[in-house]
Amino acid sequence: MATTLPVPIEFSLPDGWLSAPPDEVGAPRAAFVALHPGSAAGFTANVTISGELRTDGATVAEVAAEAVARLERGLGAVEVGRRNELESAFTQVVRMTVPIDGRPVELVQLQVFLAMPDVRDESRRAVLEIVLSATPAQFEQLVGDFQAFLKTIRPDEGAAR
């Protein structure tokens, strides 16, 4: 069953991307999924958004390491590439091979983790995980769309009223 985000956000999808129900596309941990139908040659590139409320003091880098550990438990070996830590965000590139329709498919993920403190309770914060998944060729074509998408994500001020 699709999850909900711990904080309301708003964003805009780039042209060519379509939202899809997470449960129907096999992403039950996600609160939001967008597909790029134009990239469907064996794998449809996608963006997922999930998140959780954290009270444990884990850094965003530690949350990112947890995401890699989840992938390793499900897939075995994954390769973590470039990582970048900012004040309340962390990015990492992860490469893996996944079985799709009985054949191995190489995928690249750009994972972005955004921490948003709870203004009412400093011991709590929401951590959003926003991920682009694509084949290497799709990744090169779509990473610009993903970066543009990231720039549109912001708290949904209207939801707090």
Side-chain angles (χ1 to χ4, degrees):
M1 185 168 140
T3 63
T4 58
L5 293 175
V7 293
I9 60 171
E10 56 186 17
F11 51 82
S12 299
L13 284 174
D15 290 340
W17 290 84
L18 301 172
S19 63
D23 288 331
E24 290 180 22
V25 294
R29 288 191 68 243
F32 176 81
V33 175
L35 303 175
H36 190 266
S39 67
F43 180 79
T44 302
N46 62 80
V47 170
T48 59
I49 303 175
S50 58
E52 62 184 337
L53 200 55
R54 301 292 294 237
T55 59
D56 61 1
T59 66
V60 284
E62 291 167 332
V63 174
E66 291 171 6
V68 169
R70 274 193 314 273
L71 286 172
E72 289 174 331
R73 281 193 300 276
L75 299 172
V78 300
E79 179 186 330
V80 179
R82 199 177 86 185
R83 305 174 94 196
N84 187 24
E85 188 165 8
L86 306 168
E87 186 175 322
S88 61
F90 189 89
T91 65
Q92 63 187 8
V93 176
V94 180
R95 291 182 173 271
M96 66 205 81
T97 301
V98 300
I100 297 177
D101 296 330
R103 63 181 178 78
V105 176
E106 184 181 350
L107 295 181
V108 179
Q109 287 188 341
L110 176 50
Q111 302 175 342
V112 177
F113 300 86
L114 300 175
M116 298 178 172
D118 185 330
V119 293
R120 287 175 250 133
D121 182 351
E122 291 181 12
S123 69
R124 299 175 357 144
R125 68 196 161 99
V127 178
L128 300 181
E129 181 178 345
I130 306 145
V131 179
L132 168 64
S133 299
T135 65
Q138 293 167 343
F139 186 86
E140 292 300 321
Q141 294 174 343
L142 299 174
V143 71
D145 279 2
F146 184 64
Q147 292 167 331
F149 168 71
L150 290 171
K151 291 177 184 175
T152 71
I153 297 173
R154 61 194 166 280
D156 184 352
E157 304 294 339
R161 293 178 199 164

